[in-house]
Amino acid sequence: MRHFAVVGSGPAGFYTAEALEKAYGEGARIDILDRYPVPYGLIRFGVAPDHQSLKAVSKRYDKVAESAGVDFIGNVSVGRDVSVGELLELYDAVILATGAPHDRKLGIPGEDLAGVIGSAEFVGWYNGHPEFADLDPPLGGTHAAVVGAGNVALDCARILSKTAHEFEGSDIVGHALQALDKSAIRTITILGRRGPHQVAMTPKELGELGHLEAAVPVVELADFPPVEADEPLDPGLRKSVSILRSFADLQQNKAKTIVFDFFAKPVAIEGDGRAERIIVERTVLDDRGAARGTGETYEVPASLVVTAIGYSTSPIADVPFDGGKFVNDGGRIADRLYAVGWARRGPTGTIGTNRPDGYEVADLIASTMPPGSAGDRQGLDGLKRLLDSRGVMPTDYDDWRKIEETETANARPGSPREKYVRPSDWFAVLGR
Ligand code: NAP
């Protein structure tokens, strides 16, 4: 019997577990560890609550969790409760699928002012993430800004601009829905340090902005190169640029605006004890396509600033780390130690990108310890003994389901997490 520990229960972890299960069948036991008693990482805490079709992929992960050779072990933090070295003693292979949960920093003056928050925090707030559920972002001012020209920036701007009615059928948590409903924000400026041809926004996500109930996107056609210049772009980017151009034709007849400000690099955030404005420098593209400041600056008012400029992985003791992700060669970090997903590649790609990633690492593992070969590690029994000796109480599949059932018990139909179980109450639900 082989024993595998997959650390992290987001998409990368589940695809890897699925691949290992397929490769080894009854010849392996796979433990998916998570620091929280509920699984799915990015799906639960990162994907926008109004993107239910993306979240539906968790049904596939449910099947993996329910298969005989797989166990979900929650409430275990690797690096704190158990080290990677100890896991390697207990398991034939350890696969780190810990994602990239930390916000990259802008590195400009004023970034630490109240009212400046990273997208991981803001997204975590409206998704009920244990660390950010109590964030209480300032929504009392009329102006907000989102820094970055990627899909996360779009998520943040869209969530800030939607009406309560538009969240019907989403799984936004109740406290965020109530706060957003009372929000005074009327102008949301998206600051892209480069131009429309350099956006990292995809067509479907951009297209949604043109159909909002109470908000309309605004672009300046002067920021765009001539239409002919769109021709050589990759089809996806060309579509995004054409959607952005089409925003110029929309009637400005709604209460809120989402303003695209291109060639706009934040250089400072200012305010009296809290964010009031961003100082932005106009940029041009240099020969390498990077944003170069022109020296011309102006102010963008914002009492809420969300930075959506990418993420980094949490380092774990004794695992080589390059500042953003684990150092690895095609997923292999060291003997019997692997990384998958954003912890392997950095924070890029869709949820589906993690599938081939997980299967590739499972193949790599199978090439060094072929299915059918025997191992003599202790696996979960040994892990439980070790955790018990440290007073750590892991949770299991039944505990996860109990939390979810309690969460949905009182919710309105179509609003499954309206009265969700706040993370601080998880263990009360479990009677611990
Ligand atoms: P991203 O796609 O890498 O975009 C990051 C943005 O931040 C870029 O526009 C980048 O500009 C900008 N940026 C970086 N450093 C900056 C700085 N110092 N100052 C100003 N701007 C800066 O990252 P993301 O939006 O976090 O998304 C992560 C991944 O998740 C992406 O692959 C994304 O497509 C995916 N995602 C998908 C969905 C969906 O499918 N619905 C939703 C959310 C996220 P430069 O290009 O100039 O560096």
Side-chain angles (χ1 to χ4, degrees):
M1 177 65 72
R2 295 289 185 179
H3 295 275
F4 299 120
V6 176
V7 182
S9 68
F14 264 97
Y15 284 124
T16 308
E18 179 186 275
L20 288 169
E21 233 253 326
K22 280 193 182 155
Y24 286 84
E26 291 178 359
R29 293 213 58 87
I30 301 146
D31 296 334
I32 305 177
L33 276 54
D34 201 288
R35 59 188 167 143
Y36 301 127
V38 286
Y40 298 154
L42 186 82
I43 302 289
R44 185 179 176 99
F45 298 124
V47 172
D50 56 344
H51 281 171
Q52 288 297 301
S53 57
L54 288 179
K55 291 199 166 190
V57 71
S58 64
K59 305 246 180 324
R60 176 177 178 149
Y61 308 153
D62 282 346
K63 291 211 173 65
V64 177
E66 283 156 14
S67 48
V70 176
D71 277 308
F72 173 74
I73 316 296
N75 198 35
V76 177
S77 184
V78 173
R80 184 193 66 193
D81 300 327
V82 56
S83 71
V84 167
E86 287 165 335
L87 285 181
L88 284 167
E89 287 293 313
L90 294 166
Y91 288 88
D92 291 284
V94 175
I95 303 100
L96 302 177
T98 48
H102 293 302
D103 287 303
R104 280 200 198 125
K105 294 296 238 180
L106 277 170
I108 60 173
E111 193 170 9
D112 296 329
L113 282 172
V116 184
I117 55 183
S119 55
E121 300 173 81
F122 185 60
V123 169
W125 169 68
Y126 59 65
N127 274 323
H129 186 287
E131 282 170 40
F132 310 120
D134 297 323
L135 184 72
D136 199 14
L139 303 173
T142 52
H143 287 69
V146 182
V147 183
N151 280 329
V152 172
L154 281 183
D155 280 348
C156 296
R158 190 181 68 256
I159 297 293
L160 281 170
S161 64
K162 276 197 164 180
T163 62
H165 175 242
E166 287 172 292
F167 284 112
E168 287 285 330
S170 80
D171 67 346
I172 191 166
V173 297
H175 66 247
L177 183 60
Q178 280 170 15
L180 288 165
D181 194 30
K182 289 195 219 115
S183 164
I185 292 169
R186 293 293 172 268
T187 306
I188 301 142
T189 305
I190 296 180
L191 294 167
R193 64 178 169 181
R194 299 192 290 160
H197 273 195
Q198 287 76 37
V199 292
M201 300 163 163
T202 44
K204 183 175 163 289
E205 285 63 32
L206 265 174
E208 288 176 71
L209 293 199
H211 306 283
L212 295 171
E213 200 171 276
V216 65
V218 180
V219 293
E220 277 285 345
L221 282 181
D223 286 336
F224 290 71
V227 179
E228 311 82 78
D230 295 358
E231 204 46 47
L233 298 177
D234 285 345
L237 180 57
R238 192 162 64 229
K239 187 95 203 284
S240 289
V241 174
S242 119
I243 293 168
L244 278 166
R245 282 185 195 278
S246 73
F247 291 162
D249 300 329
L250 294 174
Q251 279 201 325
Q252 300 298 316
N253 57 357
K254 295 184 181 166
K256 302 180 195 177
T257 50
I258 301 172
V259 179
F260 283 85
D261 193 353
F262 290 112
F263 301 105
K265 182 175 82 164
V267 289
I269 301 167
E270 294 180 348
D272 187 7
R274 51 181 312 107
E276 290 171 19
R277 70 196 85 84
I278 308 184
I279 309 300
V280 174
E281 183 177 15
R282 218 10 110 218
T283 65
V284 289
L285 296 184
D286 68 14
D287 315 344
R288 291 170 298 115
R292 181 167 55 77
T294 60
E296 179 198 342
T297 59
Y298 58 98
E299 292 181 6
V300 172
S303 48
L304 168 66
V305 179
V306 182
T307 59
I309 60 167
Y311 300 118
S312 61
T313 297
S314 302
I316 300 180
D318 302 326
V319 182
F321 187 67
D322 71 5
K325 57 180 169 29
F326 298 119
V327 178
N328 70 90
D329 180 8
R332 182 183 178 280
I333 300 174
D335 188 31
R336 300 188 294 110
L337 180 62
Y338 301 86
V340 289
W342 283 7
R344 166 187 172 182
R345 307 187 313 272
T348 58
T350 62
I351 289 161
T353 316
N354 294 300
R355 186 175 181 278
D357 197 314
Y359 274 73
E360 196 182 319
V361 167
D363 281 349
L364 203 57
I365 294 169
S367 70
T368 63
M369 45 188 97
S373 62
D376 59 359
R377 308 265 167 190
Q378 296 173 31
L380 186 56
D381 290 344
L383 178 65
K384 281 187 170 161
R385 275 194 293 274
L386 184 68
L387 293 173
D388 191 44
S389 74
R390 292 177 181 167
V392 178
M393 280 170 67
T395 58
D396 62 14
Y397 177 87
D398 292 338
D399 295 327
W400 143 26
R401 289 303 187 195
K402 195 164 176 188
I403 291 171
E404 276 193 351
E405 278 158 23
T406 312
E407 195 160 82
T408 51
N410 299 319
R412 279 184 297 134
S415 187
R417 296 176 74 208
E418 184 191 12
K419 294 186 180 160
Y420 86 121
V421 178
R422 288 182 85 96
S424 49
D425 294 333
W426 279 340
F427 289 95
V429 165
L430 299 179
R432 295 185 191 168

